[in-house]
Amino acid sequence: MNTRRDFLRNIGASALMLQLNSLTTFADSSDHHEQPYQGKVLRVAIMGLGGYGTRFAEAMKDCTKAKLVGVISGTTSKIKDWQAKYNIPEKNCYNYDNFDQVKNNPDIDAIYVITPNALHHSQVIRVANAGKHAICEKPMALNAREGQEMIDACKKANVKLLVGYRMHFEPRTLEVIRMRNAGEFGKVMFFQGQCGFKAGDPKQWRLDKALAGGGSMMDIGIYALNGARYMVGEEPVWVTAQETKTDPVKFKDGVDETIQFQLGFASGAVASCLSSYNINHLDRFFLSGDKGFAEMQPSTGYGPIRGRTHQGELTQPVTIHQSVQMDEMADIILTNKKPVVPVNGEEALKDLKIIDAIYQAVKTGKKVSLTT
């Protein structure tokens, strides 16, 4: 099945080796691992053992503050395979019907929900009701109403709700944000975000509105939207959007093929973004200010992220995004660490409100005002 995972893997085996070699060099040349971590470890169960769940499980082998200890799946054979591969005890294995019983398991602290979009709402609420911290893949929900209900449920249960915004911890991305905060780009005037790939199997869940909640905008477009917000450093105040559909058989009603959307900010900055399931080689951010610029390509892929600014190439360490994400999220949950860019439910709700407005703008053809 061709998915965004496959697209992003097309960076190639050589790039992956470069990423791993760079990470090893960075680790060897720093004192990061000279003092073994002896603090508390976040014990995580993964819900949804598909391709991205597997990527996370592999990445967590390199975590120091988070550990994979449990699994939740509707497929018995996958549970058995993961038990053997990751040394997961039987008592930490659940299916979608009985995982509420995790409330009686003191050996699991958090559950990472990596299932189709339409399942996030009910599953996160069940995780909260079981008294466990919830980590959810993006988009957090199908719409802002669902997202607010998830936030409310986690607050009521006194557990944290975090969302898988891995780019919020990526070193080169954070350097661009630092430069912007320091005024090195001057007054930000323009952002461009391009995210897309050709979706493959027409029967995949991402092309099923009932499971995905939409099309490219819900899957890959959220990177451009979220990127516009953290690169510009403001919340948009209006949105316009247009949809292009060339294959209505593959991309049925409610499943967007390509959406162009524009954002306006109170400062006067504007953003022009593209989200597509039918255009390859789209993974680029560009930020322009009156004193400088930043360009990133690839900008949101699994790595290595590459970029340059008016000052030269970005040379921050290459990392395995999911490993860094989980260690950082462990700190957020266990020590209330405040990340540079939030990854909580409220952050995700802002994206959902704008996505709702984008779909409204597509439907009406009108500019939609945003309230945050």
Side-chain angles (χ1 to χ4, degrees):
M1 178 175 70
N2 292 323
T3 69
R4 69 172 178 172
R5 320 301 178 202
D6 299 316
F7 165 70
L8 294 171
R9 289 192 194 103
N10 285 340
I11 294 172
S14 60
L16 178 59
M17 289 305 298
L18 172 63
Q19 174 185 357
L20 295 176
N21 289 339
S22 299
L23 181 61
T24 301
T25 300
F26 169 63
D28 291 344
S29 63
S30 70
D31 61 2
H32 180 68
H33 293 295
E34 290 183 6
Q35 298 297 328
Y37 177 72
Q38 297 180 346
K40 188 174 181 181
V41 172
L42 184 73
R43 300 164 299 177
V44 180
I46 289 180
M47 180 188 299
L49 310 185
Y52 198 57
T54 299
R55 179 179 285 272
F56 246 97
E58 289 298 303
M60 287 186 69
K61 292 178 179 179
D62 293 325
C63 290
T64 58
K65 300 177 182 179
K67 180 181 180 180
L68 174 63
V69 300
V71 294
I72 302 168
S73 175
T75 306
T76 302
S77 60
K78 286 185 178 181
I79 293 176
K80 296 299 182 184
D81 290 343
W82 279 51
Q83 274 189 272
K85 187 172 184 178
Y86 300 108
N87 194 29
I88 296 172
E90 181 69 31
K91 67 182 181 63
N92 289 355
C93 298
Y94 302 88
N95 58 46
Y96 295 133
D97 294 324
N98 69 11
F99 79 82
D100 305 272
Q101 296 175 16
V102 74
K103 67 182 178 182
N104 300 316
N105 190 336
D107 296 329
I108 295 176
D109 304 311
I111 296 176
Y112 197 153
V113 177
I114 311 178
T115 56
N117 304 340
L119 304 180
H120 294 175
H121 174 257
S122 62
Q123 289 172 340
V124 165
I125 290 176
R126 288 172 66 186
V127 169
N129 289 341
K132 304 300 180 181
H133 299 293
I135 305 172
C136 183
E137 255 312 299
K138 58 192 180 304
M140 181 173 71
L142 298 186
N143 52 56
R145 176 189 58 79
E146 285 191 355
Q148 186 63 61
E149 290 173 356
M150 295 159 71
I151 292 170
D152 293 343
C154 289
K155 285 184 176 179
K156 182 178 179 181
N158 196 31
V159 297
K160 285 186 169 64
L161 170 58
L162 305 181
V163 181
Y165 289 112
R166 59 186 167 82
M167 301 312 300
H168 293 196
F169 307 110
E170 196 281 317
R172 298 179 186 189
T173 300
L174 289 173
E175 172 60 11
V176 172
I177 293 171
R178 184 204 65 77
M179 292 177 67
R180 189 214 57 235
N181 287 340
E184 295 178 30
F185 302 122
K187 179 177 173 58
V188 173
M189 303 299 296
F190 176 70
F191 171 81
Q192 183 180 55
Q194 301 171 339
C195 297
F197 62 95
K198 281 185 174 287
D201 183 3
K203 296 181 180 179
Q204 63 180 287
W205 69 262
R206 290 177 180 82
L207 301 183
D208 181 346
K209 186 178 188 301
L211 289 175
S216 70
M217 188 66 227
M218 297 295 287
D219 181 19
I220 196 74
I222 196 170
Y223 284 101
L225 168 58
N226 189 253
R229 294 177 49 238
Y230 64 66
M231 294 281 277
V232 174
E234 292 184 67
E235 296 302 327
V237 295
W238 59 258
V239 61
T240 55
Q242 308 80 37
E243 179 181 3
T244 301
K245 185 170 292 191
T246 64
D247 188 347
V249 175
K250 185 174 184 179
F251 304 101
K252 298 178 175 59
D253 287 345
V255 179
D256 46 280
E257 176 186 325
T258 299
I259 286 183
Q260 300 174 76
F261 61 95
Q262 302 79 40
L263 304 170
F265 301 84
S267 66
V270 292
S272 176
C273 300
L274 176 65
S275 166
S276 182
Y277 265 165
N278 204 27
I279 305 174
N280 275 336
H281 313 302
L282 293 180
D283 187 5
R284 177 178 179 269
F285 284 178
F286 179 76
L287 183 74
S288 180
D290 60 10
K291 294 182 180 179
F293 73 91
E295 181 179 33
M296 306 182 77
Q297 187 176 13
S299 57
T300 64
Y302 292 144
I305 301 301
R306 301 187 186 279
R308 65 189 180 100
T309 75
H310 60 287
Q311 297 178 2
E313 295 293 318
L314 295 170
T315 59
Q316 286 65 37
V318 173
T319 62
I320 297 174
H321 300 173
Q322 294 81 5
S323 302
V324 176
Q325 175 191 322
M326 287 310 302
D327 271 344
E328 291 289 332
M329 286 187 165
D331 270 342
I332 292 169
I333 290 173
L334 298 174
T335 69
N336 288 315
K337 181 178 179 179
K338 302 297 182 185
V340 173
V341 185
V343 292
N344 54 24
E346 287 79 7
E347 170 74 6
L349 182 62
K350 293 176 181 178
D351 280 341
L352 291 174
K353 287 180 177 179
I354 301 170
I355 290 175
D356 286 351
I358 287 171
Y359 282 128
Q360 182 183 347
V362 166
K363 184 177 180 180
T364 64
K366 297 179 180 179
K367 178 187 288 188
V368 178
S369 295
L370 298 167
T371 56
T372 57

